[in-house]
Amino acid sequence: MGMLRRLDLRADTLPRAAVLRGIVPRAAIDVDAALEIVRPIVDAVRERGVEAALEYTERFDKVRPASVRVPAAALAEALGTLDPAVRAALETSISRARAVHAEQRRADVVTKVVPGGTVTERFVPVRRVGLYAPGGLAVYPSSVVMNVVPAQAAGVESLVVASPPQADNGGLPHPTILAAAALLGVDEVWAVGGAQCVALLAHGGTDTSGEDLEPVDMVTGPGNIYLTAAKRLLRGLIGIDAEAGTTEIAVLADDTADPVHVAADLISQAEHDPNAASVLVTTSEAVADAVDAALAPMVGSTKHTERIRTALSGPQSGTILVANLDDGIAVVDAYAAEHLEIQTADAAAVAARVRNAGAIFVGAWSPVSLGDYCAGSNHVLPTGGCARHSGGLSTQTFLRGIHVVEYTEQALRDVADQVVTLAVAEDLPAHGEAVSARFAR
Ligand code: NAD
């Protein structure tokens, strides 16, 4: 018996997608329970601002920062003392991400509907955003890059990066987080994490220095269940991105896959969190056995053995045996993984048939770790099945399409009867009268 529990769907006719969704491994994440935990935190920060945020920070992060806003000198110092190799790697990550995200910005679209009648979709950036970089079990300077690059590409005018303070960095966020922000040209960083962070970003407050902490219009970025629950609670007051919670990887493999590559990639995402999900979907029992055999020594020899072992042996992880690749695609579509690797013959053709995934990594040389840091793609991706309806963070996330409608008198006259007819059909005659009043005189 390997570390991954096994589900054999080869003998069955696959059930329809809705049923399959209930069968695939999934963490029993109790968002309702998390909502109840974070509600008092959000309420307290709304009522008592920074003082409440600092109390929760002391409780959860075991440190009380001198101020929420990180002093400019600390940002400069972090960049000045950054390991040159890490700086060069971050620069590679930033330049590749910038190349991809610059091309995601859609131009305004002007449609001439009829002579004299146009509808323009004008894309306008959100004015001020809060970008979250996690800092609990691990710290994620890469998430600073993945948030900031699309926001800047969209033309966001004012942005704040937030990350939990670290007890071993004097109550400042991790130095590499600060350095990454500085490298990207961000000058506003807040030392606050979790639900209290989202609440403070949404409501604003007065810092310990007396400085105004201006609220934001939108909060994006990945985080644990408490952050996710707070984003859900505050949605509406602020915009949010798709829920990017605890990491998931699914690998669709046939008998051409290299079991050591597959095992390494399953481990790489399990490293994030004991609740992370690693799922192998394969047509080959031999590959499943070989992956199991490879996992044990590899898990034992890596740094975060216990966290990885817990993630791989949890109910959210496992191997699913399928009869053929068609069934494999049906299973990965039902799962809708945050990250999906295709390790099969003719991987590009298989990938083209997948409908639901946050990001797809094609073939033997495109592991998820590449996408985590340096592919140019974004790593803030939907989890928990949200990839069925949402995409990852992109430049468009920070842009709103505003419809600008402009008709001439004649163009309105030409369609007036149809507007009146539909208004009457909806029993909203005043809608029609707003048009006919213009032509009554
Ligand atoms: P985090 O910054 O999300 O969480 C730390 C914060 O959690 C703390 O500051 C604290 O405020 C809060 N917290 C901790 N225990 C709490 C409790 N009992 N009650 C209320 N609040 C509490 O960092 P993390 O914990 O390391 O989680 C990061 C997550 O982000 C991981 O699960 C990782 O897989 C995920 N991630 C996802 C993506 C993605 O795109 N989906 C990318 C990177 C990371």
Side-chain angles (χ1 to χ4, degrees), residues 1-22:
M1 181 63 182
M3 211 173 294
L4 292 169
R5 73 198 176 91
R6 209 172 269 198
L7 181 63
D8 192 341
L9 297 180
R10 286 174 299 180
D12 306 329
T13 308
L14 275 193
R16 60 194 170 83
V19 178
L20 206 47
R21 274 207 293 281

PDB file of all heavy atoms in Angstrom, residues 1-22:
ATOM      1  N   MET A   1       0.861  -1.198   0.000  1.00  0.00           N
ATOM      2  CA  MET A   1       0.000   0.000   0.000  1.00  0.00           C
ATOM      3  C   MET A   1       0.895   1.245   0.000  1.00  0.00           C
ATOM      4  O   MET A   1       1.737   1.431   0.869  1.00  0.00           O
ATOM      5  CB  MET A   1      -0.898  -0.071   1.247  1.00  0.00           C
ATOM      6  CG  MET A   1      -1.879   1.068   1.426  1.00  0.00           C
ATOM      7  SD  MET A   1      -3.108   1.200   0.124  1.00  0.00           S
ATOM      8  CE  MET A   1      -3.979   2.653   0.654  1.00  0.00           C
ATOM      9  N   GLY A   2       0.710   2.109  -1.012  1.00  0.00           N
ATOM     10  CA  GLY A   2       1.537   3.308  -1.097  1.00  0.00           C
ATOM     11  C   GLY A   2       0.989   4.426  -0.235  1.00  0.00           C
ATOM     12  O   GLY A   2      -0.001   4.258   0.479  1.00  0.00           O
ATOM     13  N   MET A   3       1.660   5.583  -0.335  1.00  0.00           N
ATOM     14  CA  MET A   3       1.246   6.731   0.462  1.00  0.00           C
ATOM     15  C   MET A   3      -0.085   7.302  -0.041  1.00  0.00           C
ATOM     16  O   MET A   3      -0.903   7.813   0.710  1.00  0.00           O
ATOM     17  CB  MET A   3       2.330   7.804   0.331  1.00  0.00           C
ATOM     18  CG  MET A   3       2.497   8.672   1.537  1.00  0.00           C
ATOM     19  SD  MET A   3       3.928   9.740   1.338  1.00  0.00           S
ATOM     20  CE  MET A   3       5.270   8.578   1.315  1.00  0.00           C
ATOM     21  N   LEU A   4      -0.274   7.202  -1.369  1.00  0.00           N
ATOM     22  CA  LEU A   4      -1.500   7.726  -1.978  1.00  0.00           C
ATOM     23  C   LEU A   4      -2.594   6.667  -1.931  1.00  0.00           C
ATOM     24  O   LEU A   4      -2.364   5.525  -2.326  1.00  0.00           O
ATOM     25  CB  LEU A   4      -1.238   8.078  -3.447  1.00  0.00           C
ATOM     26  CG  LEU A   4      -0.308   9.251  -3.729  1.00  0.00           C
ATOM     27  CD1 LEU A   4       0.053   9.289  -5.215  1.00  0.00           C
ATOM     28  CD2 LEU A   4      -0.947  10.569  -3.318  1.00  0.00           C
ATOM     29  N   ARG A   5      -3.765   7.048  -1.430  1.00  0.00           N
ATOM     30  CA  ARG A   5      -4.861   6.073  -1.490  1.00  0.00           C
ATOM     31  C   ARG A   5      -5.295   5.941  -2.953  1.00  0.00           C
ATOM     32  O   ARG A   5      -5.027   6.827  -3.779  1.00  0.00           O
ATOM     33  CB  ARG A   5      -6.009   6.501  -0.590  1.00  0.00           C
ATOM     34  CG  ARG A   5      -6.802   7.650  -1.094  1.00  0.00           C
ATOM     35  CD  ARG A   5      -7.600   8.273   0.027  1.00  0.00           C
ATOM     36  NE  ARG A   5      -8.290   9.438  -0.430  1.00  0.00           N
ATOM     37  CZ  ARG A   5      -9.522   9.436  -0.912  1.00  0.00           C
ATOM     38  NH1 ARG A   5     -10.219   8.314  -0.985  1.00  0.00           N
ATOM     39  NH2 ARG A   5     -10.094  10.544  -1.321  1.00  0.00           N
ATOM     40  N   ARG A   6      -5.930   4.818  -3.258  1.00  0.00           N
ATOM     41  CA  ARG A   6      -6.194   4.523  -4.660  1.00  0.00           C
ATOM     42  C   ARG A   6      -7.682   4.346  -4.923  1.00  0.00           C
ATOM     43  O   ARG A   6      -8.390   3.736  -4.121  1.00  0.00           O
ATOM     44  CB  ARG A   6      -5.432   3.251  -5.051  1.00  0.00           C
ATOM     45  CG  ARG A   6      -5.066   3.243  -6.510  1.00  0.00           C
ATOM     46  CD  ARG A   6      -4.159   2.095  -6.841  1.00  0.00           C
ATOM     47  NE  ARG A   6      -2.752   2.425  -6.732  1.00  0.00           N
ATOM     48  CZ  ARG A   6      -1.787   1.708  -7.288  1.00  0.00           C
ATOM     49  NH1 ARG A   6      -2.075   0.600  -7.946  1.00  0.00           N
ATOM     50  NH2 ARG A   6      -0.519   2.072  -7.151  1.00  0.00           N
ATOM     51  N   LEU A   7      -8.120   4.894  -6.032  1.00  0.00           N
ATOM     52  CA  LEU A   7      -9.517   4.761  -6.438  1.00  0.00           C
ATOM     53  C   LEU A   7      -9.494   4.171  -7.842  1.00  0.00           C
ATOM     54  O   LEU A   7      -8.868   4.735  -8.746  1.00  0.00           O
ATOM     55  CB  LEU A   7     -10.126   6.168  -6.454  1.00  0.00           C
ATOM     56  CG  LEU A   7     -11.578   6.345  -6.813  1.00  0.00           C
ATOM     57  CD1 LEU A   7     -12.463   5.634  -5.795  1.00  0.00           C
ATOM     58  CD2 LEU A   7     -11.923   7.843  -6.823  1.00  0.00           C
ATOM     59  N   ASP A   8     -10.134   3.017  -8.013  1.00  0.00           N
ATOM     60  CA  ASP A   8     -10.084   2.341  -9.310  1.00  0.00           C
ATOM     61  C   ASP A   8     -11.420   2.522 -10.032  1.00  0.00           C
ATOM     62  O   ASP A   8     -12.435   1.955  -9.626  1.00  0.00           O
ATOM     63  CB  ASP A   8      -9.778   0.847  -9.082  1.00  0.00           C
ATOM     64  CG  ASP A   8      -9.425   0.162 -10.383  1.00  0.00           C
ATOM     65  OD1 ASP A   8      -9.764   0.710 -11.456  1.00  0.00           O
ATOM     66  OD2 ASP A   8      -8.805  -0.919 -10.328  1.00  0.00           O
ATOM     67  N   LEU A   9     -11.411   3.329 -11.083  1.00  0.00           N
ATOM     68  CA  LEU A   9     -12.655   3.584 -11.834  1.00  0.00           C
ATOM     69  C   LEU A   9     -12.647   2.847 -13.167  1.00  0.00           C
ATOM     70  O   LEU A   9     -13.461   3.127 -14.051  1.00  0.00           O
ATOM     71  CB  LEU A   9     -12.821   5.090 -12.084  1.00  0.00           C
ATOM     72  CG  LEU A   9     -12.975   5.993 -10.865  1.00  0.00           C
ATOM     73  CD1 LEU A   9     -13.136   7.463 -11.280  1.00  0.00           C
ATOM     74  CD2 LEU A   9     -14.172   5.579 -10.008  1.00  0.00           C
ATOM     75  N   ARG A  10     -11.713   1.870 -13.328  1.00  0.00           N
ATOM     76  CA  ARG A  10     -11.578   1.244 -14.651  1.00  0.00           C
ATOM     77  C   ARG A  10     -12.770   0.366 -15.023  1.00  0.00           C
ATOM     78  O   ARG A  10     -13.152   0.299 -16.182  1.00  0.00           O
ATOM     79  CB  ARG A  10     -10.302   0.396 -14.710  1.00  0.00           C
ATOM     80  CG  ARG A  10      -9.053   1.255 -14.800  1.00  0.00           C
ATOM     81  CD  ARG A  10      -7.824   0.421 -14.704  1.00  0.00           C
ATOM     82  NE  ARG A  10      -7.748  -0.297 -13.434  1.00  0.00           N
ATOM     83  CZ  ARG A  10      -6.766  -1.098 -13.083  1.00  0.00           C
ATOM     84  NH1 ARG A  10      -5.754  -1.301 -13.911  1.00  0.00           N
ATOM     85  NH2 ARG A  10      -6.763  -1.692 -11.921  1.00  0.00           N
ATOM     86  N   ALA A  11     -13.349  -0.292 -14.034  1.00  0.00           N
ATOM     87  CA  ALA A  11     -14.420  -1.245 -14.358  1.00  0.00           C
ATOM     88  C   ALA A  11     -15.745  -0.543 -14.606  1.00  0.00           C
ATOM     89  O   ALA A  11     -16.638  -1.080 -15.251  1.00  0.00           O
ATOM     90  CB  ALA A  11     -14.569  -2.241 -13.210  1.00  0.00           C
ATOM     91  N   ASP A  12     -15.856   0.685 -14.111  1.00  0.00           N
ATOM     92  CA  ASP A  12     -17.156   1.337 -14.141  1.00  0.00           C
ATOM     93  C   ASP A  12     -17.349   2.143 -15.416  1.00  0.00           C
ATOM     94  O   ASP A  12     -16.409   2.609 -16.019  1.00  0.00           O
ATOM     95  CB  ASP A  12     -17.277   2.319 -12.962  1.00  0.00           C
ATOM     96  CG  ASP A  12     -16.980   1.637 -11.657  1.00  0.00           C
ATOM     97  OD1 ASP A  12     -17.275   0.439 -11.570  1.00  0.00           O
ATOM     98  OD2 ASP A  12     -16.445   2.293 -10.743  1.00  0.00           O
ATOM     99  N   THR A  13     -18.606   2.297 -15.776  1.00  0.00           N
ATOM    100  CA  THR A  13     -18.926   3.343 -16.736  1.00  0.00           C
ATOM    101  C   THR A  13     -18.888   4.625 -15.911  1.00  0.00           C
ATOM    102  O   THR A  13     -19.506   4.691 -14.842  1.00  0.00           O
ATOM    103  CB  THR A  13     -20.350   3.143 -17.285  1.00  0.00           C
ATOM    104  OG1 THR A  13     -20.434   1.804 -17.736  1.00  0.00           O
ATOM    105  CG2 THR A  13     -20.629   4.104 -18.404  1.00  0.00           C
ATOM    106  N   LEU A  14     -18.144   5.615 -16.403  1.00  0.00           N
ATOM    107  CA  LEU A  14     -17.980   6.816 -15.577  1.00  0.00           C
ATOM    108  C   LEU A  14     -19.322   7.494 -15.333  1.00  0.00           C
ATOM    109  O   LEU A  14     -20.110   7.667 -16.267  1.00  0.00           O
ATOM    110  CB  LEU A  14     -17.058   7.808 -16.273  1.00  0.00           C
ATOM    111  CG  LEU A  14     -15.558   7.631 -16.085  1.00  0.00           C
ATOM    112  CD1 LEU A  14     -14.845   8.877 -16.573  1.00  0.00           C
ATOM    113  CD2 LEU A  14     -15.183   7.330 -14.649  1.00  0.00           C
ATOM    114  N   PRO A  15     -19.603   7.900 -14.097  1.00  0.00           N
ATOM    115  CA  PRO A  15     -20.835   8.640 -13.841  1.00  0.00           C
ATOM    116  C   PRO A  15     -20.752  10.033 -14.457  1.00  0.00           C
ATOM    117  O   PRO A  15     -19.681  10.481 -14.853  1.00  0.00           O
ATOM    118  CB  PRO A  15     -20.890   8.721 -12.310  1.00  0.00           C
ATOM    119  CG  PRO A  15     -19.513   8.457 -11.842  1.00  0.00           C
ATOM    120  CD  PRO A  15     -18.790   7.702 -12.910  1.00  0.00           C
ATOM    121  N   ARG A  16     -21.894  10.721 -14.533  1.00  0.00           N
ATOM    122  CA  ARG A  16     -21.860  12.068 -15.121  1.00  0.00           C
ATOM    123  C   ARG A  16     -21.068  13.007 -14.210  1.00  0.00           C
ATOM    124  O   ARG A  16     -20.838  12.710 -13.029  1.00  0.00           O
ATOM    125  CB  ARG A  16     -23.268  12.560 -15.411  1.00  0.00           C
ATOM    126  CG  ARG A  16     -24.140  12.651 -14.213  1.00  0.00           C
ATOM    127  CD  ARG A  16     -25.603  12.815 -14.617  1.00  0.00           C
ATOM    128  NE  ARG A  16     -26.447  12.656 -13.447  1.00  0.00           N
ATOM    129  CZ  ARG A  16     -26.692  13.633 -12.587  1.00  0.00           C
ATOM    130  NH1 ARG A  16     -26.171  14.813 -12.764  1.00  0.00           N
ATOM    131  NH2 ARG A  16     -27.453  13.418 -11.537  1.00  0.00           N
ATOM    132  N   ALA A  17     -20.682  14.165 -14.792  1.00  0.00           N
ATOM    133  CA  ALA A  17     -19.709  15.043 -14.139  1.00  0.00           C
ATOM    134  C   ALA A  17     -20.105  15.413 -12.713  1.00  0.00           C
ATOM    135  O   ALA A  17     -19.270  15.408 -11.806  1.00  0.00           O
ATOM    136  CB  ALA A  17     -19.521  16.302 -14.971  1.00  0.00           C
ATOM    137  N   ALA A  18     -21.399  15.709 -12.513  1.00  0.00           N
ATOM    138  CA  ALA A  18     -21.816  16.177 -11.183  1.00  0.00           C
ATOM    139  C   ALA A  18     -21.562  15.099 -10.132  1.00  0.00           C
ATOM    140  O   ALA A  18     -21.162  15.397  -8.998  1.00  0.00           O
ATOM    141  CB  ALA A  18     -23.290  16.555 -11.201  1.00  0.00           C
ATOM    142  N   VAL A  19     -21.773  13.823 -10.513  1.00  0.00           N
ATOM    143  CA  VAL A  19     -21.539  12.727  -9.567  1.00  0.00           C
ATOM    144  C   VAL A  19     -20.036  12.512  -9.395  1.00  0.00           C
ATOM    145  O   VAL A  19     -19.533  12.331  -8.276  1.00  0.00           O
ATOM    146  CB  VAL A  19     -22.229  11.435 -10.077  1.00  0.00           C
ATOM    147  CG1 VAL A  19     -21.958  10.272  -9.128  1.00  0.00           C
ATOM    148  CG2 VAL A  19     -23.722  11.670 -10.243  1.00  0.00           C
ATOM    149  N   LEU A  20     -19.329  12.583 -10.512  1.00  0.00           N
ATOM    150  CA  LEU A  20     -17.871  12.391 -10.481  1.00  0.00           C
ATOM    151  C   LEU A  20     -17.213  13.400  -9.545  1.00  0.00           C
ATOM    152  O   LEU A  20     -16.266  13.079  -8.818  1.00  0.00           O
ATOM    153  CB  LEU A  20     -17.345  12.560 -11.913  1.00  0.00           C
ATOM    154  CG  LEU A  20     -16.062  11.862 -12.329  1.00  0.00           C
ATOM    155  CD1 LEU A  20     -16.043  10.413 -11.901  1.00  0.00           C
ATOM    156  CD2 LEU A  20     -15.897  11.979 -13.843  1.00  0.00           C
ATOM    157  N   ARG A  21     -17.755  14.612  -9.553  1.00  0.00           N
ATOM    158  CA  ARG A  21     -17.197  15.656  -8.685  1.00  0.00           C
ATOM    159  C   ARG A  21     -17.224  15.243  -7.224  1.00  0.00           C
ATOM    160  O   ARG A  21     -16.363  15.616  -6.443  1.00  0.00           O
ATOM    161  CB  ARG A  21     -17.990  16.966  -8.846  1.00  0.00           C
ATOM    162  CG  ARG A  21     -17.512  17.829  -9.972  1.00  0.00           C
ATOM    163  CD  ARG A  21     -17.822  19.296  -9.715  1.00  0.00           C
ATOM    164  NE  ARG A  21     -19.226  19.624  -9.714  1.00  0.00           N
ATOM    165  CZ  ARG A  21     -19.970  19.797 -10.797  1.00  0.00           C
ATOM    166  NH1 ARG A  21     -19.434  19.662 -11.982  1.00  0.00           N
ATOM    167  NH2 ARG A  21     -21.239  20.108 -10.704  1.00  0.00           N
ATOM    168  N   GLY A  22     -18.247  14.461  -6.848  1.00  0.00           N
ATOM    169  CA  GLY A  22     -18.342  14.018  -5.457  1.00  0.00           C
ATOM    170  C   GLY A  22     -17.448  12.835  -5.143  1.00  0.00           C
ATOM    171  O   GLY A  22     -17.253  12.488  -3.975  1.00  0.00           O
TER     172      GLY A  22
END
